[in-house]
Amino acid sequence: MRWEELDQQPCSLSRTLSVIGDRWTLLVLRDCFLGVRRFDGFEKRLGVTRHLLADRLKKLVEHEVLQKVPYQQRPLREEYRLTDKGLALHPVIMSLVSWGDTYMADERGAPIEHIHKGCGKRMKPVMVCSECAEPVGARDIQVAVGAAFGDDVAQLLAT
């Protein structure tokens, strides 16, 4: 499978990676969730070339993960804001951060603490079943081919 063909695969992970699956895009999304909105803010924080940053932001806008919103009219200047589709990536980013805090942190621990506004306590993301609210991990889930996919997906599940 070629990188530029990921969006055509009968696999939700492949399709997702076609949009957000490179390191610079994930770091742009991290910064969005930390409140960065302007091109120069991303550029300064990431140290990425203008061309590469513009490319990643354009792709996120094209896929409606971000939207451009004017903050100045003369001259026109726009900032990037997460859409509902972009906000839906928050659990993904939080899971990656939590993994990094667990397996990649140094002796000082997590560089950023996430505090739940509701109770004021430090929190970690937990995946739960949408039906019964029980916590779930990899060993608690089985997979099945989606009704509309058949043989295209069956080969993905073959072990």
Side-chain angles (χ1 to χ4, degrees), residues 70-78:
Y71 68 88
Q72 178 180 309
Q73 292 301 321
R74 295 177 194 230
L76 178 62
R77 297 205 190 276
E78 298 172 309

Side-chain angles (χ1 to χ4, degrees), residues 14-130:
S14 294
R15 292 174 182 174
T16 300
L17 289 175
S18 75
V19 178
I20 66 162
D22 75 82
R23 63 185 173 193
W24 293 115
T25 301
L26 287 171
L27 292 173
V28 166
L29 288 170
R30 174 206 62 192
D31 282 359
C32 286
F33 284 110
L34 291 174
V36 178
R37 293 184 176 162
R38 298 183 182 172
F39 188 94
D40 59 340
F42 292 113
E43 184 179 34
K44 181 179 178 184
R45 288 173 56 99
L46 298 174
V48 64
T49 66
R50 294 180 67 79
H51 173 75
L52 188 64
L53 177 58
D55 180 64
R56 297 315 188 269
L57 289 168
K58 179 182 176 190
K59 187 173 195 175
L60 290 169
V61 170
E62 286 172 355
H63 286 275
E64 299 176 350
V65 173
L66 298 177
Q67 64 181 341
K68 289 165 69 167
V69 177
Y71 68 88
Q72 178 180 309
Q73 292 301 321
R74 295 177 194 230
L76 178 62
R77 297 205 190 276
E78 298 172 309
E79 61 186 16
Y80 297 88
R81 296 207 180 182
L82 290 158
T83 62
D84 287 343
K85 188 175 180 179
L87 289 168
L89 287 166
H90 190 253
V92 175
I93 301 298
M94 286 297 297
S95 291
L96 288 170
V97 167
S98 181
W99 185 89
D101 289 347
T102 302
Y103 298 106
M104 302 301 292
D106 62 21
E107 65 280 348
R108 296 173 292 177
I112 295 175
E113 293 186 349
H114 295 89
I115 312 299
H116 179 227
K117 289 180 181 179
C119 70
K121 303 231 171 145
R122 183 174 183 258
M123 54 84 54
K124 290 185 178 186
V126 176
M127 183 181 292
V128 298
C129 174
S130 61

